[in-house]
Amino acid sequence: ASRDCLLGVERSGVDGLFLATTTAPFAEKMASTLAATALDLPRSGRTLDFTNSLRAGTGALLAAADAVKAGSLGSVLVAAADSRMAPTQGELEQFLGDGGATILVGDGEVIATIEDSYSVSHELTDVWRIAGDEFLHTWEDRFALDEGYNKIISEAVAIMLDRHNLNPSQVNRVAFYGPNRRRHQELGRRMGFASEQLQDSLLSQVGNTGAALPLMMLVAALEESRPGDTLLLAGYGNGCDVLLLRVTDNISKMAQRRGIRGYLASRKPIPSYQKYLLWRGLVPVVPASRPDRDATSATAVWREQQQNLALYGSRCKHCGAQQFPIQRICVKCRTKDEYEKVRLVDKKVNIFTFTQDNLAAAVDSPVIVSVVEFEGGGRSAFDMTDRDPEEVQVGMPVEFTFRKLYTERGIHNYFWKTRPVR
């Protein structure tokens, strides 16, 4: 989502990354610094994690807007993502989904302005997890809805509308968090909005994506908005954040991105529930009959972070040969230590050759290793994911996706994989 947002944006001008999630990979270690490194943002930027609440996404957006308005930061990338888990065969498993959205906040030629915001806090234990829990806990449905969701969002939205002497019919689109599609639509009607004003909640297509859902809905709303439109955004979780936005003329100048519409159009269903359980790690899998993996070296991870996390290669200053991993000696002209680093992750790549291994230990067999050829030269091998083995062929275009490879001694190891361009 962040790479899509940053298309055509000079990354050196981004002053910070605020990352919101309730499912951070570490309990003590920032996720925003990892994301900023993978995105090749300036090291001088401010990175902050917002967590522990479904309101983390709208909270991060408000904090970024305040920082820009105060002049302490020029522009901030606000990213929200979640991957929450529920026990199998329950209602929550059907409703939950994984997703992410990113919005760049600044004071230049913006596509929408934040006209006003209002927040209310409300202590209520309705959905929660404690340290060490893998799955969500929920309290009785009627209590959570009547004393939390329905009451708090209605109250906050009503106050915002009253502040600006607006009635519900004067809002073009309203995007607010929903636990499921039925409850979302019921609350919209209760607040006085017509069905055509309610932004598609994505709940029937993607599911409840937690802290990311309000921002995903906002992105989807902006994709369908016209200059002058009034948007209302509400995030929920132990209270509510409401933002009133106005779409500007710059919406028509925005560069084409995949956005919500593009990613939904390219989605590919998981073939079976059994496959879902395997990918989630919810059923035991026989371990490989091989020696244990070597211990992860935090020193090596730190030393090679620009190469492995931001996917930098080298380009020879003498002959122009491009290669990955970074090489001190050019493989073409043998010049030593005469190279410049070049970011390769956004370059076009095609499969030069590949192999399919049905014997290698994997949750999703066969293991496919693709040797790709970079635009501008150079080849290297990467694991391939999100693919149909029957459709992989030499010459097909692929793209990079940032993935967690494995966890060892509590250290998550991230790298890039290839996947077909859908």
Side-chain angles (χ1 to χ4, degrees), residues 39 46 50 82-83 99 114 149 155 197 210 248 260 272 332 338 345 352 394 407 421:
L39 292 167
R46 183 180 302 172
F50 291 74
D82 252 336
S83 178
I114 299 176
Y149 179 71
E155 172 191 331
Q197 292 174 276
T248 73
I260 299 296
S272 68
K332 186 175 181 181
E338 290 290 331
V345 70
F352 177 76
V394 171
T407 301
V421 177

Side-chain angles (χ1 to χ4, degrees), residues 1-243:
S2 297
R3 291 172 62 203
D4 194 41
C5 179
L6 287 170
L7 286 176
V9 175
E10 179 55 53
R11 300 185 186 213
S12 62
V14 178
D15 298 324
L17 170 64
F18 293 175
L19 194 151
T21 181
T22 67
T23 51
F26 293 97
E28 183 175 335
K29 184 184 180 302
M30 295 181 77
S32 52
T33 56
L34 171 66
T37 301
L39 292 167
D40 197 29
L41 297 182
R43 291 183 64 238
S44 58
R46 183 180 302 172
T47 52
L48 285 173
D49 286 5
F50 291 74
T51 187
N52 285 15
S53 171
L54 293 177
R55 251 197 310 155
T58 49
L61 181 58
L62 288 171
D66 287 344
V68 171
K69 185 177 180 179
S72 58
L73 297 175
S75 64
V76 182
L77 203 65
V78 177
D82 252 336
S83 178
R84 300 187 296 163
M85 296 279 286
T88 60
Q89 301 182 39
E91 187 180 61
L92 273 180
E93 186 186 40
Q94 301 175 50
F95 293 149
L96 296 183
D98 303 343
T102 300
I103 294 171
L104 184 62
V105 179
D107 60 357
E109 297 183 351
V110 298
I111 62 173
T113 58
I114 299 176
E115 300 292 302
D116 195 8
S117 66
Y118 175 76
S119 297
V120 58
S121 63
H122 184 67
E123 173 52 31
L124 181 75
T125 305
D126 51 358
V127 180
W128 73 96
R129 281 185 300 122
I130 63 173
D133 278 350
E134 185 176 10
F135 302 126
L136 289 177
H137 300 284
T138 59
W139 198 247
E140 197 271 329
D141 196 39
R142 289 171 300 172
F143 169 77
L145 291 169
D146 293 344
E147 296 302 323
Y149 179 71
N150 291 334
K151 177 186 289 186
I152 302 306
I153 293 184
S154 297
E155 172 191 331
V157 168
I159 290 174
M160 176 60 76
L161 294 177
D162 185 61
R163 273 187 179 184
H164 295 268
N165 297 316
L166 292 172
N167 61 57
S169 64
Q170 293 176 289
V171 177
N172 296 95
R173 292 191 178 276
V174 55
F176 58 94
Y177 172 85
N180 57 63
R181 189 167 183 267
R182 175 188 167 193
R183 302 302 187 188
H184 178 266
Q185 292 182 329
E186 285 179 353
L187 180 56
R189 290 193 295 268
R190 181 178 300 190
M191 292 189 294
F193 296 105
S195 57
E196 58 268 20
Q197 292 174 276
L198 299 182
Q199 179 60 38
D200 182 1
S201 64
L202 306 173
L203 291 164
S204 61
Q205 300 163 290
V206 182
N208 182 346
T209 57
L213 184 58
L215 297 195
M216 291 177 69
M217 294 174 67
L218 175 59
V219 172
L222 289 169
E223 291 174 348
E224 303 170 7
S225 295
R226 296 175 296 179
D229 280 358
T230 299
L231 308 180
L232 197 66
L233 173 69
Y236 172 77
N238 288 124
C240 183
D241 296 324
V242 181
L243 292 84

Side-chain angles (χ1 to χ4, degrees), residues 338-351:
E338 290 290 331
Y339 67 89
E340 60 183 351
K341 294 180 180 179
V342 54
R343 181 173 164 86
L344 300 175
V345 70
D346 297 318
K347 290 185 175 293
K348 294 180 179 179
V349 286
N350 296 280
I351 293 181

